[in-house]
Amino acid sequence: MADISFKEITLIVGVVTACYWNSLFCGFVFDDVSAILDNKDLHPSTPLKTLFQNDFWGTPMSEERSHKSYRPLTVLTFRLNYLFSELKPMSYHLLNMILHAVVSVIFLKVCKLFLDNRSSVISSLLFAVHPIHTEAVTGVVGRAELLSSIFFLAAFLSYTKSKGPNNSIVWTPIALTVFLMAVATLCKEQGITVVGICCVYEVFIAQGYTLPLLCTTAGQFLRGKGSIPFSMLQTLIKLIVLMFSTLLLVVIRVQVIQSQLPVFTRFDNPAAVSPTPTRQLTFNYLLPVNAWLLLNPSELCCDWTMGTIPLIESFLDIRNVATFAFFCLLGALGVFSLRYPSDSSKTVLMALCLMALPFIPASNLFFPVGFVVAERVLYVPSMGFCILVAHGWHKISNKSIFKKLSWICLSLVVFTHALKTLHRNWDWESEYTLFMSALKVNKNNAKLWNNVGHALENEKNFERALKYFLQATHVQPDDIGAHMNVGRTYKNLNRTKEAEESYMMAKSLMPQIIPGKKYAARIAPNHLNVYINLANLIRANESRLEEADQLYRQAISMRPDFKQAYISRGELLLKMNKPLKAKEAYLKALELDRNNADLWYNLAIVHIELKEPNEALKNFNRALELNPKHKLALFNSAILMQESGEVKLRPEARKRLLSYINEEPQDANGYFNLGMLAMDDKKDTEAEMWMKKAIKLQADFRSALFNLALLYSQTAKELMALPVLEELLRYYPDHIKGLILKGDILMNQKKDILGAKKCFEKILEMDPSNVQGKHNLCVVYFEEKDLLKAERCLVETLALAPHEEYIQRHLNIVRDKISSSSLIEQPIFPISKTSGVHGDKIPAGNVREIRSESRPTQIIKTSDNKSQSKPSKPLGKNTDTETPHKTTKEIKEIEKKRVAALKRLEEIERILNGE
């Protein structure tokens, strides 16, 4: 085995870099979204052991909807990327490019086992630049191929050292081979096929046997005319060890998937559910299709499912000729490689093995897979193809007449492949570019039309997205997902009637339940979301809530483990004012997934509706244990602690709000509630700072503006409150509390009686029964020395609030003054504000205006056609309703201020009466 020189490594790495540098600027597209963006196994908060319990996409292997692709070591590398750069795609693409360079270098070392140095370098260069690899290298999920290939080749190289002097067995390389094979398999399932490569190498390369020699030896042994040679026995022992190790790995793998194959539908792989002979003819035809992609990668497509390759339903289909020709060529090469002991035949044999054996798991010949053709699975088979091409080129270039032509052709192939790879990388820049490039190749795949629609939908371009979704329904009229997409887009366009029709069409395409037959095996689990989406649509109509509930229950009856149906139903039951049933729904969902922070959060909301704040807080805490950065749980648990009135909980509430604004630095709600907490703790300077930050982020933040003005008023900075109130009233001219506070400041601080009068009159225009505004207007009349008008005003106010003694007392004072016809220039009774800030003010309500977002009442909802609920923004944003109840502490404070104010009134009255 020749060593690899530094120049060769530099050449290979340089070529890989030149071909794939632009992949660093691509994002997460296609399967990357599920494997990276939506996969919680990447997060540091997820225990490492979970990686070995879930499939490649983060779904527990025990669940029926699991893809059963068990690749924990690949997911582990994603997790390392996440630790380094979280969800910035460049580091993920950079590591993929590095891994491809490593594979290319190791492949060069393998090539030198069967080719001369020059041919080996050519084979490695062809492999490095081949455009078929863009899906495996530029698509982040293709890392499974890259990692598996590294250990696949390493295992093979290790095995080549297992033959010692005099054909003895060296066990250390064999043990290392088994270990590396297991590691390769944990990166991707095809890694286990290296055992086949090792077996072929041992028999036909290391031992130099040919098929005729093996047949002759076996025949003589069976006839009893000879014994098995010692060298062959040694070989047999090695093969038994390899096969036993492989069998053990297979048994473990079957245990991991719990003896269940993944569930695929006819949309994923139409031939897999087709009858004989359609299934066999189509699957066999896919072999020359894959070979053609290796030979001519001019038209590449990221998705070959659904109607991309029409089914071959007859032996008369012309495409069967391609299948026949392919098997004839394969057979001829196989006979040549197995019959003759030459170096050329050995090279061809190993090339064929590298092409065929790693492709077996994806061939559909032994068990169905979830795709028709997938370019990424050709990553290892392309190694055998490149060896064949390099070997053929070597044979041709040795003939002087073709030498120059062979070099020209080779240079042209390498150069055009490199350009094609460089250009193909840009297709993976975004989902829109990727799927549009695929549509240029294949317009018969409804999934591609759907995916372009999804890309446009993500950009909020619903009108264009609708066109692509509708085209998908025309290409594949029975595609349930396409009709669901149409319905969702109509809903986003507020065309609810058309949306409901589309959902009903999708629902009508669902297979009917057949007694005794497992429903899930005949339908994609995400298609059951049609019931969720339809129910979510019709429940906007209050009269159809029961109908929506029936849809949720129907989905649950089809799949008792349909977690999202329980979540959505729990939300609906809360809306129907059935919190106990909602609690049952969430508890059922938690039985299916106890590690879902969103579910614990929603259960906390149910306990709030049940007036069980302590239980609610426990569930919020459970959600935060699972996800310390759960935004809604942080925010709403902090507000719950604040509303409890318990001083000991305030530090933790403040801590959680600080964590919340760290996660959502642009959300003014967090700063506002920090300001409210600071006001509770009498930290006026800090409260002012937080309120100003909230207003800076949201200039029209109603409650922040009012409470900042109120804070200034409470701290004897009334003149600073005035411009804040002006700003508040500019956005909300009908803000009654703001008008009362402004009128009070104008009257008491600015002595602007006319301005105060306008404020109180405006209040009464909006709300003639407002006692505060009416009483304060009476004070204005008194200040204007119009006692008769003040008297009439107080009589009217007393009629509105006959239980308020201070109004009766003030009326008596005014009547006394009218009878004595003497006017006192100083105010005889105070103007009432929104709060009892000073002792001589009449309190008339809560101290502060509190927005509804301080009540944690939002359930985490599910978007249409999504199987997992995700946190949305804090509840009640941009609303302005007060908390409907006050804590015991607040009530005591208000009562205390009321008593102090009444004492002050009595003192003023004694002075006015000359006592």
Side-chain angles (χ1 to χ4, degrees), residues 152-199:
F152 180 100
L153 295 176
F156 175 66
L157 288 173
S158 175
Y159 187 79
T160 60
K161 299 176 182 179
S162 65
K163 181 180 177 181
N166 301 320
N167 207 27
S168 61
I169 301 174
V170 183
W171 289 107
T172 301
I174 294 177
L176 183 59
T177 296
V178 173
F179 172 75
L180 291 172
M181 176 176 64
V183 174
T185 306
L186 289 175
C187 293
K188 191 175 180 183
E189 296 77 5
Q190 70 182 24
I192 202 169
T193 60
V194 71
V195 70
I197 308 293
C198 293
C199 290

Side-chain angles (χ1 to χ4, degrees), residues 265 267 478-482 484 506 510 523-531 562 865:
T265 69
F267 298 108
D478 59 349
D479 182 7
I480 297 171
M484 290 169 64
M510 296 286 283
I523 192 71
N526 65 311
H527 284 171
L528 280 173
N529 280 310
V530 67
Y531 294 96
F562 192 10
N865 204 21

Side-chain angles (χ1 to χ4, degrees), residues 569-677:
R569 185 167 185 247
E571 180 190 343
L572 176 67
L573 290 168
L574 272 182
K575 185 176 181 179
M576 297 169 70
N577 197 27
K578 297 178 180 179
L580 288 175
K581 287 189 176 181
K583 180 180 176 181
E584 291 178 9
Y586 286 128
L587 288 174
K588 184 64 178 177
L590 279 169
E591 289 179 12
L592 301 171
D593 185 6
R594 297 196 65 80
N595 294 321
N596 188 323
D598 293 344
L599 283 176
W600 290 103
Y601 170 85
N602 287 354
L603 187 59
I605 301 305
V606 173
H607 282 296
I608 286 176
E609 294 297 320
L610 292 170
K611 311 299 182 188
E612 297 172 350
N614 291 334
E615 288 299 316
L617 192 55
K618 287 179 184 178
N619 288 302
F620 278 137
N621 292 339
R622 178 64 175 151
L624 290 171
E625 286 175 12
L626 294 168
N627 180 10
K629 294 184 178 181
H630 194 290
K631 298 172 188 177
L632 284 175
L634 283 169
F635 183 86
N636 290 304
S637 63
I639 304 307
L640 190 62
M641 291 175 176
Q642 182 183 3
E643 286 194 338
S644 71
E646 294 186 31
V647 178
K648 64 181 180 181
L649 293 178
R650 286 180 191 166
E652 179 62 23
R654 184 176 186 275
K655 180 182 176 182
R656 293 188 182 186
L657 285 172
L658 287 171
S659 298
Y660 175 75
I661 63 173
N662 186 53
E663 295 296 316
E664 288 286 343
Q666 299 303 312
D667 188 1
N669 294 293
Y671 300 99
F672 166 74
N673 284 285
L674 277 167
M676 300 298 280
L677 265 178

Side-chain angles (χ1 to χ4, degrees), residues 806-823:
Y806 72 91
I807 300 176
Q808 180 64 59
R809 191 176 295 115
H810 294 170
L811 178 59
N812 293 336
I813 294 172
V814 171
R815 284 174 175 171
D816 288 344
K817 296 305 172 185
I818 290 174
S819 62
S820 62
S821 298
S822 61
L823 295 176

